[in-house]
Amino acid sequence: MFNLQFARIIFIVVPMINGFQDRSIEPVLRELAQNYPVVTVTGPRQSGKITLCRKVFPDKSYVNLEAPDLRQYALDDPRGFLNAYPDGAILDEIQRTPDMVSYIQTFVDEDPVPGKYILTGSQQFNVRDALSQSLAGRTGILTLLPFDWNEVRAFTDRADTDNMLLNGFYPRLYQMRLKPHQVLGDYFETYVQRDVRQLMQIRHQGLFEKFVRLCAGRIGQLLNLNSLGNETGISHTTAREWISILEAS
């Protein structure tokens, strides 16, 4: 689906600065931080959200809420946690502390400094659900996808389109020269185990994985739920439900 936010991006040749690669979406992120007290960056896992945020906001403290001790502190004493960062911070994996956004709302209402908090999260459904309840009108939302056509040119010959289509555009594949087959296999396993299972209880994981691969094989074709369901071994109703899960996650 076309995202209107990307229509505002000016695509340029992508240089490397201080070890961080410029991303085409940076101007939009900077603009949002000048207009909203909170900016939320969502997108797939490993699309480069934290690298982007730490590059654009190098003076802000960075807090990873995946860390058990920091997450517990934020859950037990959210006001004390936020008071520890009077100038704001980059809060990674914000969906791990869902009540935190309500406290952030009270903080930015009292002191609406633009760009005070930068929130990120990989589980897009959970992040957007939390934001819609507490930070509506207070946060700009940006979706970061993997490398675009211009960004990947720093790492590979764009004339080799077959390999690019096979390998995909996730930054780590190119920056660390990893083997796509292994990395993408592990990525898919993590996606099914962590993200999908939190959205719904899938009893037949093997069928779901087969369903995703069949969807991938139909890229560019019209969606036929009956065909997908028959080949997977599920009903067209289940196929429609699983498509909705893929869209949300």
Side-chain angles (χ1 to χ4, degrees), residues 214-225:
L214 287 171
C215 288
R218 285 164 166 75
I219 291 293
Q221 299 180 27
L222 293 175
L223 174 62
N224 187 325
L225 292 173

Side-chain angles (χ1 to χ4, degrees), residues 69-132:
D69 56 338
L70 294 175
R71 183 170 67 250
Q72 197 60 51
Y73 177 25
L75 291 170
D76 292 343
D77 184 11
R79 286 192 177 276
F81 176 85
L82 291 174
N83 280 325
Y85 304 97
D87 297 323
I90 300 170
L91 303 179
D92 187 18
E93 301 296 358
I94 191 65
Q95 79 278 353
R96 300 287 282 166
T97 56
D99 291 339
M100 179 66 68
V101 293
S102 297
Y103 288 90
I104 291 175
Q105 174 194 330
T106 64
F107 273 65
V108 299
D109 284 350
E110 294 173 2
D111 184 23
V113 176
K116 186 170 186 177
Y117 295 104
I118 311 298
L119 313 181
T120 76
S122 299
Q123 295 176 1
Q124 301 181 68
F125 181 82
N126 293 337
V127 173
R128 289 178 182 268
D129 185 52
L131 296 179
S132 65

Side-chain angles (χ1 to χ4, degrees), residues 178-207:
L178 302 174
K179 294 181 179 179
H181 180 78
Q182 178 67 45
V183 172
L184 295 176
D186 293 341
Y187 184 99
F188 181 53
E189 182 71 18
T190 301
Y191 163 71
V192 172
Q193 293 292 341
R194 296 191 59 178
D195 295 345
V196 174
R197 283 188 176 275
Q198 291 193 25
L199 286 176
M200 66 177 295
Q201 193 62 251
I202 295 179
R203 290 170 295 178
H204 306 291
Q205 181 177 323
L207 288 181

